[in-house]
Amino acid sequence: MITITAFDRSPDGGKGLARDTRVRWALEEVGQPYEVRPVSFHALKEPAHLRLHPFGQIPTFEDGDLALFETGAIILHLAQRYPGLLPADANARARAVAWMFAAVNTVEPPILDIVTVKLVEGDKPWAKDRMPLVRERVTARFRQLAAYLGDAEWLEGEFTAGDLMMVHVVLRARPSGILDEIPVLAAYAARGEARPAYQRAFAAQLAYNTRTEP
Ligand code: GTB
């Protein structure tokens, strides 16, 4: 049985923004059952978890002898092992993987800066000046992505692991209001959220994060 780790209770209260949701989504897309092991904030930095995740984070993935960290690596592993998340054509597969990297390496970092400025640096005297600059960088990336997507349903024709990763990344910007300022991307994210596999993953993380006995 596949086991992933998640916060014992996500600080977002079940909005699906923590990164275990994208792994749950991938597992639902490829039809693999899984178990979730909760990890407290304290336990994240304890030796037992650090052996699984050198940076003391969630999610991790265990399946038999294999232990993985980093959502990109976990989802790529699932996409290569099970059908459903990568096209058959070799070039199309390579393009889908490029979009996975683009999501975590090019689009996600400025979105994370918004969270950092707001939650970690909010009390610094320069935070008020920095926020508009950071928001501008997210908006610029989103406009580029929307221009590429145009009227297309998905980034490379059919839905791939690249879309899965990209949709979950752009959803993280929804609380900032920036996602809804770019209707093409808001509609793209909504298409991802409408997929039955996403719905199952979202419902599972919501039930988990709102359970009465953590
Ligand atoms: N690059 C890694 C990956 O993709 O797997 C990043 C993993 C990561 O940042 N994990 C976060 C974590 O464990 C949880 S998802 N943080 C604890 C730590 O670093 O000590 C980030 C996250 C947290 C909370 C919300 N939220 O409440 O809305 C959303 C996303």
Side-chain angles (χ1 to χ4, degrees), residues 7 10-12 17-19 22 44-45 56-59 70-71 172:
F7 287 137
S10 176
D12 75 3
L17 299 175
R19 288 181 180 81
R22 61 180 74 157
L44 280 178
K45 312 300 177 196
Q57 297 183 314
I58 61 95
E70 284 296 331
T71 53
R172 185 84 189 270

Side-chain angles (χ1 to χ4, degrees), residues 7-172:
F7 287 137
D8 57 1
R9 201 179 283 276
S10 176
D12 75 3
K15 291 196 180 76
L17 299 175
R19 288 181 180 81
D20 57 292
T21 298
R22 61 180 74 157
V23 174
R24 291 174 185 265
W25 184 7
L27 285 160
E28 293 289 351
E29 290 283 353
V30 300
Q32 290 302 305
Y34 62 97
E35 285 172 352
V36 181
R37 190 169 66 247
V39 187
S40 68
F41 277 99
H42 176 75
L44 280 178
K45 312 300 177 196
E46 292 284 298
H49 188 73
L50 288 171
R51 273 194 292 277
L52 272 178
H53 195 308
F55 307 111
Q57 297 183 314
I58 61 95
T60 58
F61 171 98
E62 291 158 89
D63 186 12
D65 290 344
L66 176 66
L68 286 175
F69 60 99
E70 284 296 331
T71 53
I74 296 167
I75 293 168
L76 183 58
H77 167 72
L78 291 172
Q80 287 173 329
R81 173 133 191 205
Y82 304 103
L85 282 172
L86 286 175
D89 174 74
N91 285 358
R93 285 171 90 88
R95 294 279 304 173
V97 172
W99 282 112
M100 292 183 70
F101 276 93
V104 294
N105 205 35
T106 302
V107 179
E108 192 165 44
I111 297 172
L112 298 182
D113 279 348
I114 293 188
V115 181
T116 304
V117 176
K118 195 169 156 198
L119 299 182
V120 185
E121 301 166 349
D123 60 344
K124 302 283 185 276
W126 36 260
K128 205 162 61 62
D129 294 331
R130 183 155 187 251
M131 185 57 105
L133 304 175
V134 170
R135 289 181 65 96
E136 219 170 280
R137 282 201 284 276
V138 175
T139 304
R141 280 282 178 261
F142 276 16
R143 287 199 201 291
Q144 290 171 314
L145 186 60
Y148 180 88
L149 194 60
D151 294 333
E153 193 177 11
W154 306 114
L155 289 164
E156 294 291 329
E158 67 188 282
F159 178 84
T160 72
D163 294 295
L164 186 152
M165 196 61 100
M166 192 64 84
V167 167
H168 194 252
V169 162
V170 302
L171 282 172
R172 185 84 189 270

